[in-house]
Amino acid sequence: MSKDDQIYKDKIKVRGKSINIWPAKTEVLEISDSPMTYLAHFDDIEKYHDKLKERILELEKEESHTHRFKIGGSKVRYVHEWGTAESKLINARATAFFCQAVGRSNAVITASWASISRKNEYLAGHSHDDCIASVVYMLEPGNGKNENGLDGKFAITDPRVPGCCNKEEGRVTMEVSPDMKPGAMIIFPSELVHHVHPYTGDEPRITLAWNFKLSEK
Ligand SMILES: [Fe+2]
């Protein structure tokens, strides 16, 4: 991933405290070099998670922001319209991740939303169109029992990802499920097929997502 020193200097004020958009100590793990897939983890989540969660659950009640799917849970759209410092921060973090991954200094967000899953909800395999990279952020994994380690788990199953094809190139025989603990943010090419396993918890499971295109400038 490309690193521009400026990325470590930009800050956003959240409840009176300046928070680095991209803290210098942020861990970034390469899940796959080609196709490019990285996993970052932010460890300052106590500074913004509570308020971000509160705002999303409040917006979920407003029809103008929310679409409720039959199986896949709620989508609360447009992170940049949520109007809080916490949403501004996480939006900036996702954008910074995209910029570092593609080596550009600006980006176009073609879509962004929060996904709220409740008991027995899941997302079937899909990919995202009209964009080149997608970012998913784990805000709240919820309280699923997780006995098999798969409860509400985000996973990639795509023949272009070597980790999914452990027996024969181009044949998916397993899934790649990164460690999406709270504060984890993954970026992957939008064409990769991914899904979310059924969630069994009683508390809402909340992730955020963005689709990005390159800026023409
Ligand atoms: Fe997706």
Side-chain angles (χ1 to χ4, degrees):
M1 250 181 28
S2 75
K3 293 251 157 67
D4 174 351
D5 280 352
Q6 185 58 37
I7 205 116
Y8 302 122
K9 292 179 191 148
D10 296 335
K11 295 173 197 281
I12 284 182
K13 213 166 216 181
V14 178
R15 278 173 282 163
K17 283 188 184 155
S18 281
I19 301 185
N20 282 82
I21 292 175
W22 199 269
K25 58 182 177 183
T26 305
E27 249 184 85
V28 180
L29 189 75
E30 183 183 283
I31 293 184
S32 160
D33 166 33
S34 176
M36 164 219 84
T37 304
Y38 298 110
L39 179 69
H41 183 253
F42 299 101
D43 64 4
D44 57 353
I45 59 175
E46 76 291 347
K47 294 176 183 162
Y48 60 97
H49 267 203
D50 286 359
K51 289 279 175 195
L52 193 53
K53 239 182 276 182
E54 205 178 286
R55 182 69 180 139
I56 292 167
L57 292 172
E58 177 184 270
L59 285 170
E60 191 193 13
K61 296 175 196 148
E62 293 179 19
E63 273 183 28
S64 55
H65 269 88
T66 302
H67 184 82
R68 180 113 201 117
F69 291 89
K70 261 189 181 161
I71 302 169
S74 305
K75 272 197 194 324
V76 180
R77 292 211 158 88
Y78 312 127
V79 181
H80 67 279
E81 289 183 3
W82 296 349
T84 64
E86 291 81 7
S87 53
K88 200 173 160 193
L89 174 69
I90 200 63
N91 205 49
R93 284 191 168 173
T95 306
F97 204 9
F98 174 77
C99 288
Q100 291 174 86
V102 298
R104 294 281 190 99
S105 56
N106 45 34
V108 175
I109 299 175
T110 60
S112 63
W113 65 95
S115 286
I116 306 170
S117 311
R118 293 192 170 79
K119 207 178 189 97
N120 299 325
E121 290 182 327
Y122 64 94
L123 278 180
H126 66 281
S127 56
H128 298 266
D129 63 334
D130 192 32
C131 46
I132 64 162
S134 298
V135 169
V136 174
Y137 180 73
M138 178 53 77
L139 178 63
E140 173 55 68
N143 62 346
K145 289 185 193 71
N146 214 21
E147 278 160 2
N148 56 10
L150 294 176
D151 199 307
K153 192 113 176 134
F154 167 90
I156 296 172
T157 45
D158 191 284
R160 291 161 284 201
V161 176
C164 295
C165 306
N166 59 328
K167 292 188 176 160
E168 198 176 314
E169 198 184 323
R171 295 196 182 205
V172 175
T173 36
M174 62 181 292
E175 60 183 35
V176 168
S177 29
D179 185 13
M180 296 293 285
K181 52 191 174 187
M185 184 179 270
I186 186 168
I187 187 166
F188 55 95
S190 305
E191 67 272 22
L192 296 188
V193 177
H194 56 283
H195 66 281
V196 176
H197 284 275
Y199 173 63
T200 65
D202 302 314
E203 299 292 329
R205 170 193 180 275
I206 310 173
T207 55
L208 277 70
W210 295 258
N211 287 337
F212 286 97
K213 256 185 185 175
L214 290 173
S215 159
E216 281 169 15
K217 283 182 216 162

